[in-house]
Amino acid sequence: MITPDQLRSKYLDFFKSKNHAVISGKSLIPENDPTVLFTTAGMHPLVPYLLGEPHPAGARLVDYQKCVRTGDIDEVGDPAHLTCFEMLGNWSLGDYFKKDSIAYSWEFLTSPDWLALDPGKLSVTVFKGDDNAPRDDESAGYWKAVGVGEDRIAYLPASDNWWAAGPTGPCGPDTEIFYWVGEGVPPAGSNKGTDPANWMEIWNNVFMQFNRIDEKTLVKLPKQNVDTGMGLERTVCVLNGKTSVYQTESFQPIIAAVEAVSGYAYGTDPAKDPSVRIIADHVRSATMILGDPKGVTPSNVGAGYVLRRLIRRAVRHARKLGIEGGFLGKPAAVVVDLLSGAYPELAENRAKIIDELAREEAKFLETLQKGEHEYEKMLPNLLRNPQKVMSGRLAFKLYDTYGFPIELTQELAAESGMTVDLAEFDAAFKKHQDLSRAGAEQTFKGGLADQSEQATKYHTATHLLHKALRMVLGDHVAQKGSNITAERLRFDFSHPAPMTPDEVARVQAIVNEQIARDLPVTMEMMNLDDAKASGAMALFGEKYESVVKVYTIGDFSKEVCGGPHVERIGTLGKFVIQKEQSSSAGVRRIRAVLE
Ligand code: SER
């Protein structure tokens, strides 16, 4: 048996032995990236470096990273999909390429000194080729060189073997590694192409050589990089001879906690088991999000909304298991115990996690009660309908006005022998969704980590703003979040009261005075302690490497930061603060543009 903690250490140790520097994983909430709500892949925090920024720790890196992906939230509950997972990653920033990457992966997976997986149960995919790049015979050749048979190599199109983190940004062909989860041993000729259901993906090696600027333009990156991501939960699963991540030590204790509160024994009723898995997955994700130092809480927008949906979906499935009141604190405490070794922030935030879960559960239970009450009021009228059909319009009203889920409306209706007109409900729901999606797409239009010139300018302007705020308001001002697009910057900082118009005007004037001085921006690599001793501002609660980049703007500002920045600030234009408002308790938010 191998535990998640053991796999994490083995992975770091293996790549350390191949001269990789161990770097620390980052927050689940990306800094300076307006295009995604969460860190969605292990490589996400590395994007600037894959695009060419030098990394302070060198050109060979290894880490583990917590990730949240909720795009396929509806598939959660099957054997392999999770909304929160850990990715083990190793990177070459213009150092080794395909040959060594493939050889390292194979050695780690199959060597008796490392994971000792049966080579006969592994298969791979490589890129089949299209207009952007030719078939990746080079990678196939290296797989054969380490001993992978031709029949275990599937050549697949870009939809499978071209990896991009977003609509724009670094990308390239990839080669993926799969483990056999079917019965017995894989028959000759079986691979991901011929028999997709029996092969579970465990590792993805991306050969990042391109930057996608827009739909039509792909430019070669200055360096050929390797970006790999190994799914920790899935690899633990196959290493322990299991076929579902829910059978592993990452989930069994959480499932046991759900069994204890519900009295339902997992595995005894196929109709109820998916609910157990969904609760286990969602409570784990919600705990990781609440435990993150960036401090997201349930709300109706952005990451807070995703968190709210996870919690509410868990509560809904709990009702199917007969759990009526609040219960999430119990499985959440198990998650904290399981993952605090790797993520000490969970233990530090234990009380907050449990409190927030209880609060959100209570709110949702109240919503449910209100919805039920409204339904009761409608009931006499509904029962007059001879067809015993509740209109979709009314069901949508319950959903839209009271947040009452359609599944529950259906359950209540069924109790009185009625059905709900789902087609009508869906139509109303779709219309509503299209409206809110149009809004959400605005947020995503930039593409991952928009490195456009304008975004770089906003990034530098953020440093000027940060310093000016400290000069006008005091040293208690600390950055709480930053979000940049090519059109504007948004900056969150700690300050107990609204700024006065005079304070806003002074901050704006200071920034513009500095821009008029056209100060140069310089970068230096330093030890973190030296950087702090030299007066460089660093983000509280952020995890930094031991060597960091420090960006200095003339004699005005000095900050630990990954970059990139402009070379001289005279190019920024006129800095205008458009709005100063509350962001959350004790945190203010400024929105500003460069004209
Ligand atoms: N970018 C790749 C992935 O997320 C490898 O890290 O799968």
Side-chain angles (χ1 to χ4, degrees), residues 25-31 36-40 44 65-69 83-85 284-294 296 303 343 345-346 542:
K26 301 283 186 233
S27 164
L28 270 176
I29 311 301
E31 193 66 22
V36 280
L37 297 173
F38 293 102
T39 297
T40 53
H44 195 152
Q65 171 72 47
K66 48 184 173 176
C67 305
V68 164
R69 267 185 213 176
T83 55
C84 172
F85 56 92
R284 186 168 173 266
S285 302
T287 303
M288 288 291 260
I289 296 170
L290 282 166
D292 192 275
K294 290 258 166 78
V296 174
Y343 306 97
E345 59 269 28
L346 293 178
E542 181 71 319

Side-chain angles (χ1 to χ4, degrees), residues 378-441:
M378 292 176 184
L379 195 57
N381 255 331
L382 292 175
L383 289 174
R384 263 180 233 136
N385 174 329
Q387 271 92 40
K388 302 259 178 232
V389 178
M390 175 177 181
S391 86
R393 199 176 37 77
L394 277 182
F396 184 73
K397 186 180 163 206
L398 281 176
Y399 166 79
D400 194 38
T401 318
Y402 304 103
F404 199 71
I406 179 68
E407 294 82 353
L408 296 187
T409 306
Q410 282 179 290
E411 274 171 33
L412 291 178
E415 282 169 20
S416 323
M418 284 190 296
T419 57
V420 180
D421 182 344
L422 268 189
E424 195 183 68
F425 174 85
D426 282 345
F429 183 75
K430 272 217 186 73
K431 198 164 142 204
H432 162 89
Q433 222 182 12
D434 286 347
L435 292 176
S436 43
R437 191 166 295 152
E441 261 161 25

